[in-house]
Amino acid sequence: MSTKQKTVAVHAGSRLTGSKAVPVMPPIFPAAVNWFDSSDDLSDALDGKDYAYARISAPNAALLEEAVAALEGAEACVAYASGMAALRSLFDAQPWKAGDVLVMPTDGYGVTRALYKNLCARWGVELRPLDQMSPDAPARIREWRPRLVLAESISNPLLRVPDIRALAQACRDAGAVFAVDATFPSPFGQRALELGADYAVQSTSKWLNGHSDALGGTVSGSKARIDPLRSARILSGDVLGPFEAWLTLRGLRTLPVRMKAHNEHAAHVAKRLSDSPLLERVLYPGLASHPDHAVAARVLEGGFGPMVAFEIKGAGQKEGDRFLEALRVAKPGPSLGDVGTLVMHAASASARRMTPQERAQAGIRDSLIRVSVGLEDPDDVADDLLAAVAKGAGR
């Protein structure tokens, strides 16, 4: 992320139009309804030119959208009540016909897969999981000619890194809409639109908020692509509340500083873990042993991400539970993006809604642990993880 973008993170989304006073931090506007002296003014507001009703538009969400759009390098952004609502909006925006194809990563977030599997079944759409790191992935996209392709910048939970540029070109060739869930690296680590994506998706509950105190999601892209999503949100009601928008904007101000530290800490923890004889393998894009290390160096900025994953030798659900219970610094938690380190057993959390067959196809084993590395001293985190691994393994 450039110096200019760091400045954008601090100042974007600071000022509402129509006032000379600019609070250092925008206030919270909890009003769901506004009234006007003039019927013409009310009519203009209902057409989206001002704030009439919070389901249509609201000040705090608008400020957050402005800030996220600036960070993503996008013309426009629309905010939702959760990251899953944002992903649902992308499906609903497509003119589906029976027999159309939707492509998503084989090893992607299990809840996203469950959502799209349900929607595809309802609409007669074929869901095709694809190993998007495979050399023939672009060729499959060109062959299948899907309506929508979803990628993850860094996959959840195996931390694989696809070549977004190559996938984007394949989508253009196939006439497919290309959406990238860039939650794991955040806009600090990857601006997916600049790599060719049509949409960049964020679960703002994670790194943009950074403090585990507000749900939210955003979709960014060109104004032509975002305007229909904004209109559809008026009908769906998946709006982001003012308090959640305010908290997320508060967290976003420090995103570049936090992410720089998170990335550095994750790299240190990964290196420490890679020396342990109790681990089958350590998955971190910054390690030379990672299968996508070279691709990650091309498509990620500012480091190799804040997430680390590893497999405990000979571990299953029981050993995974013992490991989680032995943690003292890190905390067992089913999410990521907090200032503190959060750890989860992948098969029973992020991949919980996948069938055993789907997990096996994706390569998600019962021994897999995912770590969202926090801002604690990285050696304290590494020591804690290694001690818990030893206890979980009965050593």
Side-chain angles (χ1 to χ4, degrees):
M1 179 172 280
S2 69
T3 301
K4 181 178 179 181
Q5 289 169 315
K6 293 177 183 177
T7 304
V8 165
V10 174
H11 294 292
S14 296
R15 181 172 188 161
L16 287 171
T17 57
S19 175
K20 295 180 180 179
V22 185
V24 171
M25 186 64 192
I28 300 173
F29 296 86
V33 182
N34 298 288
W35 63 274
F36 298 82
D37 290 317
S38 159
S39 295
D40 288 340
D41 290 342
L42 173 57
S43 179
D44 286 344
L46 290 170
D47 284 337
K49 298 176 184 177
D50 206 337
Y51 304 106
Y53 185 48
R55 181 167 52 79
I56 300 172
S57 62
N60 291 108
L63 290 171
L64 176 63
E65 289 167 351
E66 177 189 326
V68 173
L71 288 174
E72 296 276 24
E75 289 182 347
C77 171
V78 58
Y80 295 89
S82 69
M84 294 308 300
L87 288 165
R88 170 64 191 262
S89 76
L90 290 179
F91 185 95
D92 291 343
Q94 310 310 315
W96 297 107
K97 302 189 302 294
D100 281 347
V101 173
L102 186 158
V103 173
M104 67 172 298
T106 302
D107 60 333
Y109 182 35
V111 180
T112 303
R113 183 165 179 153
L115 170 69
Y116 282 173
K117 186 162 67 171
N118 179 282
L119 293 171
C120 285
R122 191 182 308 173
W123 283 86
V125 173
E126 184 179 353
L127 177 64
R128 293 189 183 179
L130 175 65
D131 177 359
Q132 297 180 351
M133 281 62 62
S134 170
D136 64 353
R140 295 286 76 75
I141 290 171
R142 293 184 179 97
E143 174 189 348
W144 294 341
R145 303 192 67 80
R147 176 78 63 183
L148 174 67
V149 175
L150 174 71
E152 293 179 355
S153 298
I154 303 174
S155 73
N156 182 6
L158 288 169
L159 311 187
R160 298 298 305 274
V161 182
D163 187 336
I164 297 298
R165 285 192 182 92
L167 295 180
Q169 183 60 58
C171 288
R172 286 192 293 272
D173 295 343
V177 173
F178 185 38
V180 176
D181 184 338
T183 294
F184 270 26
S186 86
F188 175 86
Q190 186 181 86
R191 305 219 302 179
L193 299 174
E194 293 180 353
L195 300 179
D198 297 308
Y199 295 107
V201 182
Q202 298 287 336
S203 172
T204 63
S205 320
K206 313 305 193 293
W207 301 109
L208 269 70
N209 170 267
H211 297 78
S212 297
D213 55 14
L215 292 176
T218 57
V219 181
S220 301
S222 68
K223 187 175 185 300
R225 290 192 181 276
I226 296 301
D227 280 351
L229 296 183
R230 193 182 308 281
S231 297
R233 189 190 60 181
I234 295 173
L235 303 180
S236 69
D238 293 323
V239 296
L240 184 65
F243 295 95
E244 289 78 10
W246 186 90
L247 285 166
T248 304
L249 186 59
R250 180 281 320 268
L252 180 149
R253 299 299 189 208
T254 59
L255 178 70
V257 177
R258 286 187 289 106
M259 293 306 292
K260 183 176 185 296
H262 283 297
N263 285 355
E264 291 173 353
H265 289 195
H268 184 84
V269 169
K271 178 61 174 67
R272 288 279 314 274
L273 292 174
S274 65
D275 294 332
S276 172
L278 297 179
L279 299 181
E280 189 71 35
R281 59 174 179 162
V282 176
L283 299 170
Y284 182 66
L287 294 175
S289 59
H290 191 280
D292 311 315
H293 176 68
V295 172
R298 294 199 307 268
V299 302
L300 298 178
E301 302 177 56
F304 290 94
M307 306 294 295
V308 177
F310 57 86
E311 293 179 346
I312 304 172
K313 283 184 179 178
Q317 179 72 56
K318 181 177 68 174
E319 291 80 11
D321 288 344
R322 285 206 305 260
F323 162 80
L324 292 176
E325 291 168 357
L327 294 169
R328 294 295 176 263
V329 175
K331 299 296 184 289
S335 190
L336 59 125
D338 191 65
V339 293
T341 298
L342 295 174
V343 184
M344 58 155 228
H345 178 248
S348 57
S350 69
R352 189 182 190 92
R353 293 184 180 273
M354 297 172 72
T355 66
Q357 293 76 18
E358 289 170 343
R359 289 197 296 271
Q361 181 188 27
I364 300 170
R365 302 170 185 165
D366 285 344
S367 57
L368 183 67
I369 302 295
R370 191 194 74 185
V371 184
S372 169
V373 180
L375 299 181
E376 307 96 338
D377 183 289
D379 280 317
D380 287 344
V381 174
D383 289 343
D384 187 42
L385 293 172
L386 290 168
V389 165
K391 290 184 180 179
R395 300 290 181 88

